Amino acid sequence: MILLLVYGLSILLFILIFLWILIPALYGLPPVPTKPERIRKALRLANLQPRETLYDLGAGDGRVLFIAAREFRAKAVGIEVGPIQYALIWLHLTANGLGDQIQIKWGNFYKADLRDADVVFVYATTTETMKLAPHLEEQMKPGTRLVSISADFPEWEPSALDERELIFVYHMPPKRGSMMSYMLKKGL
């Protein structure tokens, strides 16, 4: 009986690990959280304002959503493909009574409707940003800010940059250029 219980728990653990790591990785990125202070810097650099709508593409554990809602008083919408991450964010926001400020959607952010976003938050690799760029250009309205952590959009010139933290901000429609054109203009 104990052996059967151990076997069952082992299978359950394997399934949870599969759902937590492998499903998001199949879509391009495994879940890798960023530090809360770096998130705050990114949202300040993007000038997130109260009552604006922020979308977090690949919401992970929801920390961007909770910081945006609690500290910036923004409406936050997370798109997450991982079913375990989705469920944990939903439980957290429900338990904390934040359902009116935070919404979590289970899905692929490459197909997400972003037309009502004021700010879009992305933590991805350059390979992923290149794949995502056409979707963002199509979906994001003029004036929307895009904040990217760790990776730039190689064909776009950022409107703001935190070099130390590798935070890039772009305004829509994106200005054609690159990090090099930005650095030359700023005399860096």
Side-chain angles (χ1 to χ4, degrees):
M1 184 67 174
I2 293 176
L3 187 61
L4 188 59
L5 181 62
V6 169
Y7 179 71
L9 289 174
S10 297
I11 290 174
L12 180 62
L13 181 62
F14 173 78
I15 290 170
L16 290 175
I17 290 170
F18 176 77
L19 293 174
W20 182 267
I21 296 172
L22 293 181
I23 288 183
L26 291 173
Y27 282 85
L29 294 170
V32 178
T34 190
K35 294 179 181 168
E37 190 50 43
R38 192 174 186 202
I39 294 167
R40 289 179 187 97
K41 285 182 182 181
L43 298 181
R44 282 192 297 269
L45 194 62
N47 196 27
L48 180 62
Q49 297 295 308
R51 292 180 299 285
E52 284 190 315
T53 301
L54 171 127
Y55 273 71
D56 182 9
L57 305 186
D61 64 5
R63 63 182 67 193
V64 172
L65 304 174
F66 290 99
I67 290 171
R70 287 181 178 147
E71 297 178 26
F72 291 82
R73 297 187 327 264
K75 178 183 176 195
V77 180
I79 311 293
E80 179 54 56
V81 73
I84 301 297
Q85 292 90 332
Y86 166 86
L88 290 175
I89 293 169
W90 184 85
L91 287 171
H92 189 179
L93 74 90
T94 302
N96 287 287
L98 293 169
D100 57 333
Q101 275 187 282
I102 298 173
Q103 181 182 8
I104 184 70
K105 297 179 180 183
W106 185 23
N108 180 347
F109 61 70
Y110 289 108
K111 298 176 182 177
D113 181 351
L114 306 171
R115 290 177 288 192
D116 66 335
D118 297 299
V119 175
V120 173
F121 186 97
V122 178
Y123 184 17
T125 65
T126 301
T127 302
E128 298 304 317
T129 62
M130 289 171 55
K131 286 187 219 172
L132 189 55
H135 179 67
L136 295 175
E137 280 190 273
E138 179 184 304
Q139 286 286 312
M140 293 170 66
K141 66 186 179 227
T144 302
R145 284 101 62 211
L146 169 65
V147 60
S148 178
I149 302 285
S150 295
D152 69 329
F153 284 75
E155 297 179 359
W156 299 349
E157 183 177 300
S159 54
L161 167 68
D162 182 321
E163 290 178 67
R164 185 167 178 255
E165 295 287 342
L166 280 179
I167 301 169
F168 306 87
V169 176
Y170 303 86
H171 282 76
M172 291 294 143
K175 184 174 183 179
R176 299 295 169 205
S178 65
M179 275 302 302
M180 183 61 75
S181 62
Y182 175 84
M183 291 169 60
L184 288 171
K185 286 181 183 175
K186 298 293 181 184
L188 300 174

